[in-house]
Amino acid sequence: MNVHDVLSQLEEDGFFNAAVYITPPGDGELSDEDSGEEDGGGQVNNLNRRQLHAEAEGVVTRSDGQVVRMGGPNDETELDQDPPGRPASPQPVPASPQPVPASPQSVPASPQSVPASPQSVPASPQSVPASPQSVPASPQSVPASPQSVLASPQQAPALRNLRNRQRNQPAPIQVPVPRQQLAGRLLQNQRQQRLQQPAVRNWRREDLPRNLNLQQQWPVLPQAQFLNENLNPLEMFELFIDDDVVDYIVDQTNLYARRDKGNHTFVTTRQEFRTFMAILLLSGYNQIPRRTMYWERNTDCHNTAVSGAMSRNRFDEHMRFLHLADNNTLDPNDKVSKVRAFVSMINERCLLYFPEQQHLSIDESMVPYFGHHSTKQFIRGKPIRFGFKLWTLADPLGYVVQFEPYTGAGGGQPYGCLGLGGTVVKDLISELPQRPYHLTFDNFFTSLPLLSDLAANGIGATGTIRKNRIEHCPMRDATRFAKEDRGALDFRHDRRSNVLVVEWNDNSVVTAASNCDRVMPLARVRRWSRAQRQFVQIEQPDLLRVYNATMGGVDRADQNINAYRISLRTKKWWWPYFAHVLELVMQNAWLLFRRTDAHTAEPLDLLAFRRRIVQVYLMRHGAIAMPRRAARLALPAVHRVPDEVRFDGVGHFAGPSQTTKRCALCKKNTKKLCLKCTVGLHNQCFNAFHGIH
């Protein structure tokens, strides 16, 4: 084992202190000096290539006080793995009945490790005290009894070889660990050891008991006050994008334009940003290939509402300077720090106006993105294969209660043996009020420890589960079970944790688990039978009936968001997040509007609801954003009439004009025009313009 291998294992395992001993070269000529200073050398980052490949041994003090040696020709006990056929830990060396306390400068060695000298492994006063079964640090530092340093005959050669090598070794390379990090690492290791202990299961072929605490009825809650106020679509939308959110975006945009881009003339306002946002929402249902076509004068794509509310150059400036965070205060450890504050503000408002109900579902959503970013995901088989992933908590109708961007492995809080799926579930429900909620999720999230953890917090949960997560539950053989008739059923109940595991044969074998839903009563579902060529009725467990009825909330939200997604794009990596949040807020506001009496009086679907907000914003804030002035024609009259129309010789007639126009040929004023080309033409210019000789 070389120095690089030892350091790699130290990065993976938790430890209090460690020392690495580098074997010097045999000939004394291949020795290299490290790149450190004379007084501050000896650090890991200062080692050169030859030193990293040199043979080395490490002495590691673990968080539980055990000292373990890594490397060496006669030592096969390592931190990451044990050789096959050997016990996990070596037998301890017999120590004296009354152990001698180690000095503050010594570190207790493992049973198979050789006592280190006081200069080799300096330990802080906070080091772990020596246990009765451990070997004292050194005969020179602590006067030990003869029995305390005796080793077995098998260990004697290894001890002699290591003593001979240590006599010629330089001072060890210390791998310091901050005190706070040591304490946090110890607490985390203790918690993981406690949670990762496999639970003792008591499986019985019986249904879940009745009258559990998790099966209580949902309390009758009064309807939220804002739903009784009959808010119009604009007021409902501004519950989420209120003045505080708009002012925050405006301040960050102005700061970015002035400080980061050096443009001191650009200053946007609250009204102007709402006009800009309305144009973005309009692009979802009125899509064009290029955004500049909204401002063209050609009748096939010109949009009077957009061009009259904001000029093209002003809109381009907003697209260029829009920003959602201060670049000087970004968290370097957060990959989505540029949108973190904006996402947090929207999450607070989604939770604040959440119409509470019992059943909630958790699933993943995809935000389309085709650029380069470390958090971009590829999921085969999804409608959106490339993009950013969001963990989403929603109700059965699609109202998004909470959402969290996925930033890669290790981005969430540790929850022991719950894994990534359990971490996501615990994080999404952490802000919910104390209610007997019922969660539904798929097999990515479901595990038996998670169901037990949720049950301890008074939350019911049901989800499909993978076969390798049922912890040796004695279910029937899957291959034989799949050959039985559709509707076949098998289930097991763990009496210790009150967790139920069910297998049901449908088109394929479905495995599900729950801490609150039961197998009985069996429901009847309709399925197509190929053999009988007709629909048949089969039995279905009540657990799966509840799962199918409450699981599709996130998919409904994705369906609403994708219906009229903002089509305008930029090269900023965080732009898809910003556009997705606007769409999410729009569908949340529409779902709340459907609960009010205003929707009963004037039913509006999602498109009509969206158009109403865009029209009001363009008419109310557009005039403030840009004073109206006479519009200039984008192209000369000659170029506005295609040659195929101008020279076709069909239907061109001269007629009077209501207003004075400029002649398309001689550029002088005239009150005549071509009725087909709708351009001003003198009588003497009419034939020349149309190519008539």
Side-chain angles (χ1 to χ4, degrees), residues 364-426:
E364 57 188 16
S365 300
M366 290 293 292
V367 180
Y369 177 69
F370 298 95
H372 297 278
H373 196 265
S374 59
T375 62
K376 188 180 75 170
Q377 302 289 312
F378 169 73
I379 303 180
R380 191 182 306 276
K382 288 285 187 179
I384 301 176
R385 296 184 300 164
F386 295 92
F388 301 116
K389 183 191 291 187
L390 296 179
W391 307 116
T392 308
L393 173 69
D395 69 1
L397 295 179
Y399 181 92
V400 177
V401 184
Q402 293 282 276
F403 63 99
E404 181 69 21
Y406 175 62
T407 57
Q413 298 295 329
Y415 282 93
C417 61
L418 299 183
L420 175 60
T423 302
V424 171
V425 173
K426 298 283 289 184

Side-chain angles (χ1 to χ4, degrees), residues 330-389:
L330 297 178
D331 184 5
N333 298 323
D334 189 0
K335 298 180 181 179
V336 294
S337 57
K338 288 198 173 184
V339 296
R340 179 66 66 184
F342 179 61
V343 168
S344 299
M345 297 175 72
I346 300 301
N347 265 329
E348 293 177 1
R349 286 151 180 80
C350 290
L351 182 60
L352 179 62
Y353 300 108
F354 164 49
E356 290 192 60
Q357 53 184 301
Q358 184 174 18
H359 293 281
L360 301 174
S361 61
I362 296 176
D363 205 350
E364 57 188 16
S365 300
M366 290 293 292
V367 180
Y369 177 69
F370 298 95
H372 297 278
H373 196 265
S374 59
T375 62
K376 188 180 75 170
Q377 302 289 312
F378 169 73
I379 303 180
R380 191 182 306 276
K382 288 285 187 179
I384 301 176
R385 296 184 300 164
F386 295 92
F388 301 116
K389 183 191 291 187

Side-chain angles (χ1 to χ4, degrees), residues 167-189:
R167 290 192 184 99
N168 300 324
Q169 286 179 353
I173 300 174
Q174 297 294 328
V175 185
V177 181
R179 183 180 304 175
Q180 296 180 353
Q181 184 177 354
L182 289 175
R185 187 178 295 173
L186 177 60
L187 293 176
Q188 180 178 350
N189 292 341

Side-chain angles (χ1 to χ4, degrees), residues 2 13 51-52 85 108 132 151 154 156 184 240 266 269 272 285 301 342 350 361 440 506 514 534 557 577 595 605 636:
N2 55 28
D13 286 67
Q51 290 172 335
L52 289 175
Q154 293 80 6
F240 302 92
F266 177 85
T269 61
E272 202 171 23
Y285 60 86
C301 60
F342 179 61
C350 290
S361 61
T440 310
D506 193 11
S514 177
Q534 62 179 357
Y577 276 118
R595 296 173 177 265
D605 59 5

